[in-house]
Amino acid sequence: MIRLHNCFYCVISIVFCANIYAQQDTLSLSEVSVTNRVLKEFSAYQNVKEISTSNKTDFPVGLTQILQTESSISLRENGRGMLSSPSFRGTTASQTAVVWQGININSTLVGQADFNLLNASDFQTIVVKSGGGSSLFGSNAIGGSIHLNTKLNFNQPLEQNLTFLNGSFDTNHLSHQLKIGGKRTAVQSSITYNQSKNDYPYVGYDNKNENGQFQNISSNFSLGHNFTNKFRLDYYSFFLKGEKNLSGTLTSVGKSKYDELNVRQLLDLSYHFKDGKIWQNKLAFLLENFEYYEDFQQKRTSNGDAKTLFYRQEFIYPISNKLDFHSQAEYNYQWTQGSNIIFADRHIGSASASLKYKVLKTLDTDFALRQEKSSIFQSPLLYSFQSRWHPIKSYALRFVHSKNYRIPTFNDLFWPTGGNINLIPEQSLQFDVSQDLFFKNGQFTLTYFNNQMQDMIVWQPNESDFWQPLNVQSVEINGFESKLQFNKSFKQLQTKLDLQYTYTSSKNLVNQKQLPYIPFHRITTQLNLIFKELDVNYQFQFNGQVFTNAKNTRFLKEYAFSNIFIGYNFQKFLPIKLKLQIINIENEFFQNVSDRPLPGRYINSILTFKF
Amino acid sequence: MKTIKLLHILFFGLLIFQSCTKDEEIVSLASYENGFFIPNEGNFGRDEGEVTFISNDLQTVKQDVFKSENNGAVLGNVLQSIAIYQDKAYLVVNSSNKIEVVDRKTFKKIATINSQLNNPRYIAFANGKGYVTNWGAGSNPNDDYVAVLNLSTNTVDSTIPVVEGPEKIESYNNNLYVAHQGGLNFNDKISVINSSNNSVSTIGVGDVPKDMAVYNNQLFVLCSGKESYHSGGKTDGNLNVINLLNNSVSTLKPFTDSKPSQMALSGNELFYTQGKKVFKANLSSTTFSTQEIISSALAIPYGFNVDANRIYFLDAVDYAGSFGKVYIYTKQGSLVTTKDAGLYPNGISFN
């Protein structure tokens, strides 16, 4: 049975007596929630990319295709629509944090998020941030983090969006978004439905993807209310129910099915003082539930439930026009029940503080510290130091150094045969240096990143011949990200060009080999042309060769393909946009997991209404 | 003259360039007789199953035999076993739920059996039919069966329900003996199938029967015992013998130290493995005694067999992607040589 340790948890509340007179903050209570504000501050130092609205409507099903097109993240899927795992800056799937409204929503059981079970149509802002962020966002934020947020707009007339997608392999998507706001109350909601038979042919083979059908329904609802000019209460909720049959390999038809349910509830209470200080409380409940059918024709399943109760208290304290202080205290209780792990739980408490200091008019710095205490493992002291020097309008130099971590998952700790209660968190010590060049029509950024990882958890067979996770791996990651963005408007033509090249070396220090599924090279390109009502988007991506085992004796070939989207905006007559998409124009055969190919050329048509 | 020479060089050069750009060379062997096949499982969930061939004189070693002889065709997801019968070889591809039937001399494909197989493991032959053990869904103890294969039409004629986890199957005197290792769970039974009427009966033996060998109307069963993570906890292995004339079971030897894994018979000698060691027993002597003959340097013992002259011990080497090896010894236990195999080589099938 699972032993329950004595709990070491502490909730530290730091409240400063408001005797210090600070300059009035010009922050408008209504517009920007504290979560989004914190993200804006981070983006001054690290590479941050906000996914554009048009791209969200171009890829409304899941998040995988958007991230593959817009970011440097390398994603692999066990077949289209199946489990989608990221590899961000040379790290593995559980070292990318997915953060919803400021809360980490990676699976408690397996440590990663499935990017095919997060629909772009449900989130208003999707931001991809490169590099570590544990001091603020906690566990898993090592390679980078993806932030999914809602925007509540006050004084907003009713605005609705309806999107229909119909595509190859019997794929259908339907989503509706609504937002409305009065002087004191704002509401935002969305509902999404996806379904696909997913029986795509394998390019160059006689057979096709069978038993790969999927469907999911998801919804989000957010409500914000200002009680007085100082006191604001927000409610955010999220729901997703997904079912997918697990497709097999090139030669074996899958027989299994996987059902998932995610429910998230968040209450956010903030008090805004006259002098710009903000006191914020977040209370959240998260639920993930899965049901795995080894044979979908039989009723037998293995299943599990993981629940999280989360409380965070934040204090934002502007001290002067050069100095800002931010403190945060968190308490987290997680528990799981199921057919594999009968019952297990843990408590984690943490406290963090950060100081933002404008050393010179052209030099900004940020220093943060975080300490956690858990009922199960010892956590390291985490910190981050960030700086940005912007001496002239066209040049900026940024430097970040941080210590980040990833806590062991419930499966790592408590799996009935092999779970290891003595695991410690994985640690990452990283730094990155970026240079930005701003010119009239665009921007060029070059970033060098370095990450030393230790105590990485690897499942290995032991003498008794069963597998067990151990903190045995050390990895050294080196690489660079280069991005060029260029826009120019002519009389009636707007053009936009995005180019991205990433080089990543992620070396296992024991055998000096590249970690599996991490390509050395990755290129993404997007060219967008808008002429009156016509909108043309051309995308190209190149993904380098990846090894599929630790010894690098097997690999998957590099591949490249492009997409073209042609859209027409009927706005003069009706608020409708029609878009036709051809994906993988070259009909390229490719796979990013052994023997599980992705589709060749296919088409989608998307109709969007705005009213 | 000069131009023709130049053209010849150009043409020849192009030819070389053409062959160099191909990913791999496909070289056919004249015949796969007088040697043995090694089934390489490959990783679970990947189409990495393949076959290695080594000639009896050990001079020829050929990897990826199926692909080479069948125009680059992918064999499938986990090649669990190979069995030779008459002029054919039967390749049981576990996770692709199929059996590839090939000519045992040319290794060219004859037929594919892919219906009514659900997690197929091993095959044996009796009364002109093939008998294939199937787990069904690994987590379901009630859907395991033995499929009866029609060898002329290459289809499954009927299925015989059996208890959980049928693994190795042995044919003797028109009967089939199935060792129920337990699949994803554990079991302790031998099923006896009468090939004239396909009736089944069971005989209780020790925990986790892994291997069998028949000698002189006796069925030797090597049981490795339960693991610590099995319900009820760890138990010791033992070597049982079943008198096939009256189906009585007795224990020849308990294994209180380390768990035994595999067993093979040659002539009147029984060989079995315990970890990295190999032991033998002479079955014609009046008392049963065992003797250690090999203490090997294998990293991960993964397969074992013997023939008239040699002992073969297969090493998976590691779980990180290294290719396996076969260690070849004399019957007295001295190492002759090692040869390369594929990913996770788990046995030897003599041709």
Side-chain angles (χ1 to χ4, degrees):
Chain A
M1 271 328 261
I2 312 299
R3 301 189 306 277
L4 288 174
H5 291 250
N6 286 330
C7 308
F8 304 110
Y9 63 87
C10 49
V11 178
I12 302 164
S13 187
I14 304 166
V15 179
F16 275 65
C17 300
N19 248 351
I20 302 164
Y21 184 77
Q23 186 178 355
Q24 187 133 47
D25 197 312
T26 52
L27 173 72
S28 159
L29 178 61
S30 53
E31 287 307 303
V32 186
S33 77
V34 179
T35 312
N36 288 336
R37 177 199 165 150
V38 155
L39 184 61
K40 270 188 157 67
E41 290 172 0
F42 242 107
S43 68
Y45 308 102
Q46 294 188 298
N47 286 350
V48 160
K49 175 93 184 269
E50 176 157 2
I51 308 289
S52 61
T53 319
S54 63
N55 251 288
K56 281 199 279 112
T57 23
D58 284 347
F59 294 113
V61 180
L63 272 187
T64 305
Q65 284 177 306
I66 286 196
L67 293 175
Q68 282 174 329
T69 308
E70 294 252 310
S71 76
S72 57
I73 306 177
S74 171
L75 284 133
R76 64 181 187 280
E77 293 171 272
N78 289 355
R80 177 181 187 248
M82 304 293 110
L83 176 68
S84 169
S85 313
S87 162
F88 202 168
R89 282 199 174 173
T91 61
T92 68
S94 53
Q95 287 145 4
T96 295
V98 176
V99 182
W100 173 74
Q101 302 297 132
I103 301 174
N104 184 319
I105 57 168
N106 284 35
S107 159
T108 320
L109 297 170
V110 299
Q112 67 164 98
D114 179 353
F115 287 86
N116 278 336
L117 281 181
L118 289 164
N119 292 316
S121 44
D122 289 324
F123 307 107
Q124 302 203 283
T125 54
I126 300 175
V127 176
V128 179
K129 182 181 86 60
S130 301
S134 290
S135 58
L136 197 59
F137 302 112
S139 173
N140 308 82
I142 295 180
S145 47
I146 288 136
H147 300 261
L148 308 169
N149 288 324
T150 293
K151 252 202 299 210
L152 282 170
N153 296 7
F154 294 88
N155 300 311
Q156 157 86 45
L158 177 64
E159 193 180 296
Q160 299 182 70
N161 281 296
L162 200 57
T163 305
F164 291 104
L165 178 149
N166 177 269
S168 304
F169 326 123
D170 273 310
T171 306
N172 293 292
H173 162 98
L174 172 62
S175 62
H176 172 258
Q177 290 104 17
L178 176 158
K179 56 183 173 184
I180 186 171
K183 209 171 95 171
R184 287 200 178 280
T185 313
V187 166
Q188 187 277 333
S189 78
S190 74
I191 184 157
T192 302
Y193 175 69
N194 290 315
Q195 176 252 321
S196 177
K197 192 162 165 213
N198 212 15
D199 53 349
Y200 55 92
Y202 295 136
V203 177
Y205 290 84
D206 291 327
N207 53 346
K208 53 185 185 179
N209 194 48
E210 290 177 53
N211 194 57
Q213 61 269 38
F214 63 86
Q215 65 176 356
N216 56 66
I217 183 163
S218 59
S219 142
N220 106 293
F221 176 78
S222 314
L223 173 87
H225 184 77
N226 284 328
F227 285 93
T228 63
N229 256 339
K230 298 183 185 312
F231 189 54
R232 174 167 162 176
L233 180 64
D234 287 352
Y235 168 69
Y236 300 94
S237 77
F238 178 82
F239 164 87
L240 180 138
K241 174 108 177 73
E243 292 178 13
K244 57 180 182 247
N245 284 47
L246 302 180
S247 57
T249 63
L250 267 173
T251 71
S252 58
V253 177
K255 287 185 161 178
S256 311
K257 184 169 184 272
Y258 195 85
D259 290 354
E260 193 157 333
L261 173 70
N262 286 323
V263 175
R264 300 173 186 131
Q265 308 279 323
L266 169 64
L267 219 53
D268 192 328
L269 185 65
S270 57
Y271 189 84
H272 297 247
F273 294 86
K274 214 188 291 203
D275 44 14
K277 296 201 279 285
I278 304 174
W279 178 54
Q280 182 168 23
N281 295 273
K282 275 186 158 83
L283 181 65
F285 171 73
L286 310 174
L287 164 71
E288 70 183 270
N289 170 285
F290 78 86
E291 196 124 22
Y292 169 69
Y293 299 78
E294 183 188 340
D295 184 336
F296 70 85
Q297 290 173 327
Q298 296 183 11
K299 288 212 183 77
R300 226 156 251 283
T301 65
S302 80
N303 54 46
D305 227 62
K307 299 182 181 125
T308 304
L309 211 51
F310 176 93
Y311 173 68
R312 179 192 285 162
Q313 192 174 124
E314 278 178 83
F315 201 67
I316 295 178
Y317 191 109
I319 298 174
S320 70
N321 59 353
K322 284 190 182 178
L323 197 58
D324 264 311
F325 176 76
H326 177 203
S327 76
Q328 186 172 293
E330 254 174 51
Y331 169 71
N332 195 315
Y333 175 62
Q334 299 170 319
W335 70 107
T336 178
Q337 286 170 289
S339 58
N340 298 315
I341 302 173
I342 308 298
F343 178 80
D345 67 350
R346 72 181 167 199
H347 307 259
I348 305 176
S350 76
S352 59
S354 72
L355 209 59
K356 201 170 99 138
Y357 182 48
K358 203 173 185 71
V359 178
L360 303 168
K361 205 171 82 169
T362 55
L363 180 61
D364 287 284
T365 61
D366 188 303
F367 180 65
L369 274 177
R370 181 186 179 110
Q371 177 68 67
E372 279 201 351
K373 261 210 179 311
S374 147
S375 58
I376 305 284
F377 45 74
Q378 284 276 74
S379 284
L381 175 68
L382 307 165
Y383 62 85
S384 73
F385 170 72
Q386 305 178 93
S387 58
R388 178 172 193 252
W389 183 48
H390 193 44
I392 50 177
K393 204 171 94 166
S394 55
Y395 178 77
L397 178 67
R398 299 177 273 129
F399 173 75
V400 175
H401 172 56
S402 61
K403 183 156 187 208
N404 308 281
Y405 76 130
R406 167 181 93 89
I407 59 182
T409 64
F410 266 68
N411 283 355
D412 289 332
L413 294 165
F414 302 116
W415 192 258
T417 59
N420 183 355
I421 200 107
N422 297 315
L423 288 171
I424 60 172
E426 302 179 334
Q427 299 189 43
S428 145
L429 197 61
Q430 46 181 285
F431 74 87
D432 63 57
V433 183
S434 301
Q435 299 194 76
D436 301 305
L437 285 167
F438 302 99
F439 40 91
K440 186 169 151 226
N441 292 313
Q443 180 178 344
F444 175 71
T445 299
L446 183 64
T447 306
Y448 167 74
F449 57 89
N450 177 293
N451 183 355
Q452 311 273 350
M453 298 211 50
Q454 277 182 322
D455 296 318
M456 280 175 71
I457 296 170
V458 178
W459 280 72
Q460 287 181 332
N462 63 11
E463 329 79 45
S464 313
D465 210 32
F466 62 83
W467 290 57
Q468 175 172 58
L470 295 165
N471 293 101
V472 287
Q473 190 162 286
S474 299
V475 170
E476 164 144 13
I477 301 174
N478 276 300
F480 61 89
E481 287 173 356
S482 58
K483 301 180 211 231
L484 172 66
Q485 213 184 342
F486 184 82
N487 10 27
K488 194 160 171 83
S489 288
F490 304 92
K491 276 219 188 94
Q492 295 200 15
L493 176 69
Q494 294 170 49
T495 64
K496 185 161 179 277
L497 176 69
D498 266 280
L499 277 169
Q500 204 165 231
Y501 168 68
T502 309
Y503 171 80
T504 313
S505 156
S506 180
K507 205 185 329 186
N508 178 335
L509 289 174
V510 171
N511 67 6
Q512 302 295 316
K513 304 275 183 195
Q514 178 88 339
L515 286 192
Y517 294 112
I518 296 174
F520 281 104
H521 308 281
R522 185 151 200 272
I523 298 174
T524 64
T525 308
Q526 280 194 80
L527 175 63
N528 201 324
L529 299 166
I530 302 180
F531 179 74
K532 294 195 199 173
E533 291 85 23
L534 202 63
D535 181 337
V536 177
N537 193 319
Y538 172 79
Q539 301 160 349
F540 171 81
Q541 61 175 282
F542 170 80
N543 294 281
Q545 174 180 296
V546 295
F547 294 108
T548 57
N549 59 35
K551 285 226 156 163
N552 291 174
T553 54
R554 291 261 156 119
F555 64 89
L556 295 176
K557 246 177 64 137
E558 64 278 349
Y559 64 91
F561 66 85
S562 42
N563 305 330
I564 188 152
F565 302 164
I566 301 171
Y568 191 84
N569 192 344
F570 291 90
Q571 62 192 5
K572 285 205 185 120
F573 314 103
L574 297 159
I576 296 180
K577 262 195 208 162
L578 174 65
K579 189 165 273 195
L580 290 164
Q581 302 179 324
I582 306 178
I583 301 194
N584 190 356
I585 302 173
E586 300 86 346
N587 200 30
E588 174 100 346
F589 171 86
F590 70 98
Q591 50 192 354
N592 42 46
V593 173
S594 290
D595 309 310
R596 291 169 197 269
L598 289 165
R601 184 186 316 123
Y602 68 95
I603 55 179
N604 284 330
S605 56
I606 306 180
L607 209 57
T608 50
F609 294 87
K610 193 173 175 140
F611 50 97
Chain B
M1 210 51 198
K2 253 191 178 163
T3 5
I4 295 178
K5 227 184 178 176
L6 197 63
L7 279 170
H8 275 172
I9 292 171
L10 210 69
F11 178 71
F12 188 57
L14 275 170
L15 216 64
I16 290 187
F17 181 69
Q18 263 294 83
S19 59
C20 284
T21 55
K22 281 205 183 106
D23 281 345
E24 16 190 278
E25 268 190 63
I26 293 183
V27 169
S28 258
L29 260 197
S31 162
Y32 290 96
E33 292 179 280
N34 302 312
F36 53 93
F37 297 111
I38 303 178
N40 300 298
E41 291 176 4
N43 277 294
F44 175 71
R46 295 190 188 179
D47 293 333
E48 287 174 343
E50 252 302 344
V51 182
T52 302
F53 172 78
I54 301 180
S55 58
N56 281 330
D57 59 9
L58 305 183
Q59 294 308 304
T60 310
V61 178
K62 180 139 167 55
Q63 310 294 342
D64 296 336
V65 176
F66 185 83
K67 183 184 292 195
S68 310
E69 299 304 335
N70 290 284
N71 295 317
V74 173
L75 177 55
N77 190 345
V78 182
L79 173 60
Q80 185 60 38
S81 60
I82 299 176
I84 313 275
Y85 184 69
Q86 294 181 339
D87 53 345
K88 302 194 183 83
Y90 294 79
L91 314 177
V92 184
V93 192
N94 172 241
S95 297
S96 292
N97 294 309
K98 67 171 180 175
I99 295 177
E100 292 287 356
V101 186
V102 302
D103 180 304
R104 72 174 178 84
K105 292 183 199 169
T106 64
F107 229 78
K108 300 246 184 266
K109 202 169 116 146
I110 295 171
T112 307
I113 306 160
N114 52 18
S115 62
Q116 292 195 277
L117 293 172
N118 194 347
N119 260 327
R121 307 290 294 169
Y122 291 86
I123 183 171
F125 304 90
N127 222 348
K129 293 173 276 187
Y131 289 79
V132 186
T133 50
N134 287 266
W135 284 3
S139 53
N140 187 344
N142 302 319
D143 64 347
D144 301 48
Y145 62 96
V146 173
V148 184
L149 199 57
N150 181 323
L151 300 177
S152 352
T153 62
N154 286 318
T155 52
V156 172
D157 274 351
S158 59
T159 61
I160 307 168
V162 293
V163 294
E164 191 176 18
E167 189 75 344
K168 290 197 173 168
I169 181 168
E170 193 79 25
S171 168
Y172 184 71
N173 261 355
N174 269 346
N175 279 336
L176 283 314
Y177 297 91
V178 179
H180 288 268
Q181 191 176 310
L184 293 180
N185 202 352
F186 66 89
N187 210 340
D188 55 7
K189 301 275 185 293
I190 300 287
S191 283
V192 185
I193 300 175
N194 181 332
S195 64
S196 337
N197 55 19
N198 286 345
S199 63
V200 199
S201 58
T202 57
I203 304 173
V205 292
D207 287 331
V208 189
K210 281 198 173 172
D211 227 332
M212 295 177 288
V214 187
Y215 174 78
N216 203 9
N217 278 317
Q218 294 172 299
L219 179 70
F220 294 85
V221 182
L222 189 71
C223 302
S224 72
K226 288 192 290 180
E227 301 289 345
S228 52
Y229 53 79
H230 284 139
S231 155
K234 192 167 163 184
T235 59
D236 286 339
N238 56 40
L239 179 63
N240 291 132
V241 61
I242 303 177
N243 181 335
L244 292 180
L245 304 168
N246 56 24
N247 280 352
S248 65
V249 189
S250 50
T251 302
L252 274 181
K253 180 186 166 59
F255 293 97
T256 50
D257 43 357
S258 78
K259 290 181 173 308
S261 324
Q262 317 211 281
M263 183 167 70
L265 181 85
S266 169
N268 61 1
E269 290 183 315
L270 190 66
F271 297 81
Y272 63 87
T273 66
Q274 253 186 294
K276 304 180 186 190
K277 298 185 182 200
V278 180
F279 296 78
K280 83 168 177 193
N282 188 320
L283 297 178
S284 357
S285 62
T286 41
T287 52
F288 183 81
S289 68
T290 63
Q291 171 201 358
E292 179 186 316
I293 55 166
I294 298 172
S295 177
S296 77
L298 265 68
I300 302 178
Y302 210 75
F304 179 77
N305 212 336
V306 299
D307 66 8
N309 304 308
R310 301 189 195 117
I311 299 173
Y312 305 86
F313 206 178
L314 295 139
D315 189 357
V317 180
D318 64 32
Y319 291 105
S322 294
F323 295 110
K325 284 190 191 322
V326 56
Y327 285 67
I328 303 175
Y329 302 82
T330 63
K331 292 298 266 305
Q332 291 70 43
S334 2
L335 182 63
V336 173
T337 182
T338 61
K339 295 285 179 195
D340 287 333
L343 283 175
Y344 307 110
N346 75 2
I348 307 272
S349 199
F350 300 104
N351 196 6

